[in-house]
Amino acid sequence: MAKRIDVKDLNIFYGKFHAVDRVTLAVPPRSVTAFIGPSGCGKSTVLRSLNRMHEVTPGARVEGKVLLDGEDIYATTVDPVEVRRTIGMVFQRPNPFPTMSIRDNVVAGLRLGGMRNRKQLDEVAERSLRGANLWAEVSDRLDKPGGSLSGGQQQRLCIARAIAVQPDVLLMDEPCSALDPISTLAIEDLIGELKKDFTIVIVTHNMQQAARVSDQTAFFNLAGVGQPGRLVEIDDTEKIFSNPGQQATEDYISGRFG
Amino acid sequence: MTTTASTLDRPATPPAFQAVGGARKFKNILATVLVTLAFLIALVPLVWLLVTVIARGFEAVITADWWTHSLKGVLPKEFAGGAYHAIIGTLLQTVVCAVIAVPVGILAAIYLVEYGRGRLARTTTFMVDILSGVPSIVAALFIYALLLSTFQMGQSAFAVSMALVLLMLPVVVRSTEEMLRLVPQELREASYALGVPKWKTIVRIVLPTALSGVVTGVMLAMARVMGETAPVLVLVGYSKSINFNIFDGNMTSLPLLIYSELNNPNPAGQLRVWGAALTLIILIMLFNLVAALVSRFSAIKTK
């Protein structure tokens, strides 16, 4: 379970555009790391490169290393499908599979991976839904379509779906930005619990959220339009929000820009 | 300075919201009249056609013989026999065509949407565009040159089906392509993020999500090629009797029956022409109905 991530000199390109410049950071296991920074600074791009999801975009490529417990996920011998099975992801907008029921959504990763045993799948579905704090709300309508849930419930369904395949790391790309405050609170509480089992990296625009849920915070920024984004600093969340090492970080978190 | 009550009552600035002006009202009425008129004009030929075909063909299709008997041994002036042989012919030719065109068309669309990049994809799209503009007589002549002249095959229903494939393929590719493009990229990413390989994502996530639209497109494409006349005139001979063999012998389809009975000056011939026309419309309507039902059945449920 929960593994550590080490990013070393990571450069990310979209075609000729240099999107992210030389990022180096470390994410310890069983912790929450928050990525903050203004729009377009590359924090989502860095997140998506942690499970090789960014290469789904045509023309995207990386240079540098991403190590999962010391193993380079960009080594030529590594299958990106295996990487994504180990490093799960939750997206900005809830995206349950519209053709599937709630239960089938949760176990989609296992079913498509070849697991057939109905009893086992039902167990995983219940465990994952309990893990995502959704079981109580949906246990009586598991056969209803996933699209019938509210936005907040859908997002927790997506989290249940992501943890059902038992990844080592969970990446979250602004998981609460489409949700109301109550659903946001539910997800934040959930992140606190998931931290016991998973390594979590979360991108957020909400600095209070970063301060509430994360153990360490990374601040990304970009020098100007068309310039690559870069990591300004990464440190304990408490230190970033009380006594940041860089002026730019302080300006950003105190609302002087961005 | 004195102020009277009337100046006080008057607002200092004109109200922000005023009644709709006369010019705008007029333009609105004019546009409404124009679009309604255009709709009615477009409706006239459609209703007229339907009424004529139903009125003249009704008598033929209400007999049981029409749906169960061929014209074998029936004299041109006899009010007897039916269109069973032509219905079988139309269905056989269409189904054989669909069996070839639908898988190829859907797979080509998947290539274009999910894999196609660069020159090969552009060329494919270009070719599909060209193919969709090919007149049916040209498709028929091409198959004639290929199968009948070059490969020395005889006239057959199979040759007709091959010509229909050329006409159906671009329609299936286009409609499937559009449906696949409607599937949000987020769903594919959600699937990738679970460690599902790309091919499985396409088969288990993308296709089921687009299924209802794909099926509708296929059904409409089939309805469209059913009435094609040029291929049956060029590639197969007329027969008064039933033939289930698509590779050998003459096989009548509904358009071919209409064409051949047009040369029959007797009232019985006229009745067969309109009866076959009405039958064709009924068949196509049934296909559309099935398409609607399948689409509703496979549509994504949110309740």
Side-chain angles (χ1 to χ4, degrees):
Chain A
M1 291 300 275
K3 292 184 176 172
R4 64 176 289 119
I5 301 176
D6 290 284
V7 179
K8 285 183 180 158
D9 283 330
L10 189 71
N11 285 285
I12 307 174
F13 303 86
Y14 289 113
K16 285 195 178 118
F17 177 63
H18 192 183
V20 175
D21 185 33
R22 291 201 313 274
V23 167
T24 298
L25 56 84
V27 179
R30 293 189 187 78
S31 71
V32 178
T33 300
F35 288 0
I36 60 169
S39 295
C41 68
K43 53 195 187 306
S44 283
T45 304
V46 171
L47 188 81
R48 287 168 64 88
S49 69
L50 295 185
N51 69 343
R52 298 189 64 168
M53 186 58 92
H54 79 293
E55 47 185 53
V56 170
T57 314
R61 64 194 169 84
V62 300
E63 286 168 8
K65 281 186 174 163
V66 177
L67 305 176
L68 184 69
D69 266 7
E71 198 182 337
D72 187 3
I73 65 168
Y74 282 98
T76 46
T77 52
V78 170
D79 178 2
V81 171
E82 285 298 323
V83 170
R84 293 182 200 127
R85 199 167 290 164
T86 321
I87 306 178
M89 192 164 196
V90 175
F91 297 84
Q92 187 169 356
R93 290 212 344 238
N95 50 6
F97 299 127
T99 52
M100 296 185 190
S101 67
I102 293 172
R103 179 196 286 112
D104 287 348
N105 256 290
V106 177
V107 296
L110 295 173
R111 277 250 305 245
L112 298 185
M115 191 193 273
R116 291 269 175 277
N117 187 330
R118 178 75 199 231
K119 200 166 152 251
Q120 229 173 330
L121 287 175
D122 282 351
E123 279 169 22
V124 173
E126 178 171 349
R127 188 175 63 227
S128 308
L129 284 168
R130 282 189 195 282
N133 280 338
L134 192 59
W135 178 253
E137 290 157 68
V138 301
S139 59
D140 56 339
R141 47 175 177 152
L142 292 173
D143 291 317
K144 291 269 158 48
S148 64
L149 299 174
S150 74
Q153 290 173 325
Q154 283 188 22
Q155 191 63 301
R156 275 179 286 155
L157 178 64
C158 291
I159 293 175
R161 183 175 67 183
I163 61 179
V165 293
Q166 298 196 300
D168 297 324
V169 179
L170 202 55
L171 308 177
M172 298 179 150
D173 191 357
E174 298 182 43
C176 303
S177 65
L179 305 181
D180 67 278
I182 294 169
S183 306
T184 300
L185 190 67
I187 304 264
E188 285 181 9
D189 289 346
L190 179 57
I191 292 171
E193 284 169 36
L194 291 175
K195 178 167 97 161
K196 292 173 203 149
D197 299 314
F198 301 96
T199 306
I200 295 174
V201 182
I202 176 173
V203 166
T204 178
H205 268 296
N206 181 333
M207 278 177 283
Q208 287 78 24
Q209 182 171 64
R212 281 193 299 262
V213 303
S214 70
D215 301 308
Q216 60 169 356
T217 299
F219 172 60
F220 290 81
N221 201 357
L222 73 175
V225 178
Q227 302 283 321
R230 56 195 178 81
L231 177 67
V232 175
E233 65 176 313
I234 177 166
D235 213 327
D236 289 345
T237 298
E238 222 166 285
K239 183 155 183 296
I240 289 279
F241 282 95
S242 60
N243 184 23
Q246 302 284 328
Q247 186 60 39
T249 315
E250 189 172 347
D251 287 350
Y252 183 72
I253 59 175
S254 59
R256 269 194 280 266
F257 86 98
Chain B
M1 188 171 154
T2 54
T3 47
T4 59
S6 65
T7 38
L8 281 176
D9 285 342
R10 205 176 329 125
T13 51
F17 303 108
Q18 290 170 347
V20 177
R24 224 180 86 196
K25 241 180 208 161
F26 173 72
K27 278 186 243 169
N28 181 35
I29 291 169
L30 187 71
T32 312
V33 169
L34 278 178
V35 291
T36 314
L37 218 60
F39 168 70
L40 290 176
I41 290 171
L43 209 58
V44 167
L46 185 70
V47 173
W48 197 345
L49 183 144
L50 272 180
V51 168
T52 312
V53 175
I54 292 171
R56 301 202 185 181
F58 183 66
E59 223 175 299
V61 301
I62 49 163
T63 61
D65 274 5
W66 180 262
W67 302 96
T68 53
H69 284 68
S70 71
L71 285 173
K72 193 176 181 183
V74 176
L75 293 174
K77 62 178 181 194
E78 234 181 322
F79 282 96
Y84 181 63
H85 61 313
I87 295 169
I88 289 295
T90 290
L91 290 179
L92 267 181
Q93 288 163 14
T94 311
V95 166
V96 170
C97 158
V99 164
I100 300 169
V102 169
V104 175
I106 290 182
L107 289 175
I110 289 176
Y111 168 76
L112 286 176
V113 175
E114 306 289 341
Y115 294 94
R117 295 253 139 69
R119 189 178 294 178
L120 184 57
R122 277 200 303 277
T123 315
T124 312
T125 308
F126 183 62
M127 289 302 172
V128 168
D129 279 347
I130 298 220
L131 205 54
S132 64
V134 168
S136 54
I137 183 75
V138 176
L141 288 177
F142 171 73
I143 294 298
Y144 189 93
L146 187 73
L147 293 185
L148 276 64
S149 298
T150 310
F151 289 105
Q152 300 292 321
M153 279 177 67
Q155 284 194 322
S156 69
F158 181 70
V160 174
S161 295
M162 291 310 288
L164 294 182
V165 165
L166 292 182
L167 300 169
M168 188 173 180
L169 200 54
V171 184
V172 173
V173 173
R174 268 295 133 110
S175 66
T176 308
E177 201 186 336
E178 270 164 39
M179 287 306 137
L180 293 180
R181 283 195 202 285
L182 283 181
V183 176
Q185 189 62 26
E186 298 159 12
L187 288 185
R188 296 183 180 91
E189 292 194 349
S191 177
Y192 296 153
L194 294 171
V196 179
K198 184 167 182 172
W199 68 271
K200 217 166 211 178
T201 301
I202 294 169
V203 175
R204 301 287 295 275
I205 305 291
V206 179
L207 274 181
T209 307
L211 185 67
S212 123
V214 171
V215 170
T216 311
V218 165
M219 289 292 184
L220 292 179
M222 281 173 81
R224 163 100 189 68
V225 296
M226 259 186 187
E228 281 298 345
T229 313
V232 295
L233 293 183
V234 176
L235 296 169
V236 75
Y238 177 73
S239 161
K240 283 182 147 190
S241 44
I242 301 161
N243 176 13
F244 282 102
N245 188 348
I246 58 161
F247 292 105
D248 192 33
N250 294 336
M251 185 193 282
T252 305
S253 55
L254 287 163
L256 193 53
L257 176 67
I258 294 172
Y259 185 79
S260 90
E261 288 297 327
L262 272 176
N263 296 325
N264 179 353
N266 299 298
Q270 294 302 304
L271 186 61
R272 278 175 214 142
V273 167
W274 291 105
L278 182 54
T279 310
L280 195 54
I281 291 178
I282 291 172
L283 279 188
I284 290 173
M285 210 184 66
L286 283 178
F287 261 78
N288 283 318
L289 203 69
V290 171
L293 284 177
V294 170
S295 141
R296 181 174 301 178
F297 187 70
S298 59
I300 288 156
K301 297 161 194 75
T302 49
K303 285 271 157 56

